[in-house]
Amino acid sequence: MADAAARGTISQLWRYPASSLAGERQHAIEVGSRTVDGDRLFGLVDATSGEIARPDREAKWHKVPLIRTRLSNARELEVAVPGGGWLAAPGAESDRAISAFLGFAASIRPFRQDDAAPDYAGPLTAERYVKTPIHLLTTASLARLKTLHPEGAADPRRFRPNIVIDMAPVEGSFPETEWVGRKLAIGDLLLTVSEPCRRCGFTIIAQDGFDADPGILRNLVRHNAHNLGVYCTVDRPARIEVGATMRFV
């Protein structure tokens, strides 16, 4: 049985229809056994080389997280560059807008044919890495980072979680880092915390509302072995909503 006392509640839910581009905040998400529904279906590539976007490593990709994404009711991707309207993607018009924004030829491509629109006949691209089903982050860890780096913006968007759990700060601790191996119940969803989430250079990049900040990663390296948040595997899939409680099992 789950512990009687709730340890926190869901304050934010996110999915990321296209890797490295801005995420889409949700009131509810469907969590399957392998991934969140609608999560990381597309990639952005250099149209000349086929290289997939790497904002964590190359400056030419640093503006990519400013490109917004959403899935339509028909589960088709739409993107918007700053100052522009929503455009269907993949498509020539959206590729032109993204290329103009980045300053070089770039293209949105699906990872799998099944995720593209029925009439899509363009190329696919390979996923950059094998993702763990769920990335969970607590406000307690964000509060700890803010204590260590008060001048910085400890915004969840830097870290691209699927689930943000609102819980009281734990003095001197990034609490979920200590949960590896434990099981969590969130509503009807059952998860096992599998490993800490090792952070990369993506966390320091500017996004809408906050500037580039190397101090974010520097403090995580110094005080939490590069880590913030945890990855989880799914023991029991379920739909979860903002406000659902989290308990240890």
Side-chain angles (χ1 to χ4, degrees):
M1 294 179 62
D3 290 352
R7 303 301 175 121
T9 60
I10 297 176
S11 61
Q12 296 182 28
L13 292 169
W14 293 85
R15 67 183 180 189
Y16 305 89
S19 290
S20 298
L21 280 66
E24 182 181 23
R25 192 167 173 176
Q26 302 282 283
H27 176 73
I29 57 173
E30 294 280 352
V31 181
S33 60
R34 301 182 66 180
T35 189
V36 172
D37 183 47
D39 200 51
R40 294 174 171 88
L41 306 178
F42 300 87
L44 177 66
V45 304
D46 182 315
T48 302
S49 67
E51 167 203 12
I52 197 163
R54 291 297 304 260
D56 57 325
R57 293 190 178 180
E58 292 189 66
K60 77 176 191 177
W61 298 113
H62 279 185
K63 294 198 294 183
V64 167
L66 296 171
I67 303 170
R68 293 179 293 157
T69 66
R70 68 185 185 189
L71 290 180
S72 70
N73 291 336
R75 292 181 56 79
E76 294 178 348
L77 180 66
E78 297 175 335
V79 300
V81 301
W86 290 102
L87 299 170
E93 188 177 4
S94 57
D95 282 356
R96 282 194 295 271
I98 291 171
S99 299
F101 176 63
L102 296 179
F104 61 91
S107 179
I108 294 275
R109 296 176 183 175
F111 293 130
R112 295 164 293 276
Q113 187 65 45
D114 289 349
D115 297 325
D119 59 350
Y120 179 76
L124 305 179
T125 190
E127 294 186 73
R128 200 175 76 200
Y129 54 85
V130 178
K131 58 184 179 295
T132 304
I134 289 289
H135 175 201
L136 182 147
L137 178 63
T138 70
T139 59
S141 283
L142 294 172
R144 173 63 176 153
L145 177 58
K146 185 67 174 177
T147 298
L148 294 167
H149 185 47
E151 65 275 25
D155 191 296
R157 290 175 296 160
R158 288 192 183 278
F159 310 105
R160 299 175 74 79
N162 298 115
I163 301 173
V164 180
I165 297 292
D166 185 24
M167 60 179 286
V170 180
E171 186 175 357
S173 175
F174 296 91
E176 64 268 33
T177 307
E178 302 166 9
W179 299 348
V180 174
R182 300 201 68 175
K183 291 186 181 295
L184 308 175
I186 306 175
D188 292 328
L189 178 67
L190 185 62
L191 304 173
T192 297
V193 181
S194 56
E195 60 183 305
C197 185
R198 185 176 175 86
R199 310 320 312 200
C200 66
F202 192 101
T203 61
I204 73 175
I205 297 170
Q207 295 188 45
D208 185 21
F210 52 83
D211 296 329
D213 184 0
I216 292 287
L217 186 57
R218 191 160 50 239
N219 276 279
L220 294 177
V221 171
R222 183 177 301 139
H223 298 284
N224 202 36
H226 265 97
N227 301 314
L228 188 74
V230 288
Y231 290 125
C232 304
T233 55
V234 179
D235 299 310
R236 184 176 65 219
R239 181 179 187 271
I240 54 174
E241 297 183 354
V242 170
T245 58
M246 184 205 78
R247 294 174 170 86
F248 291 123
V249 173

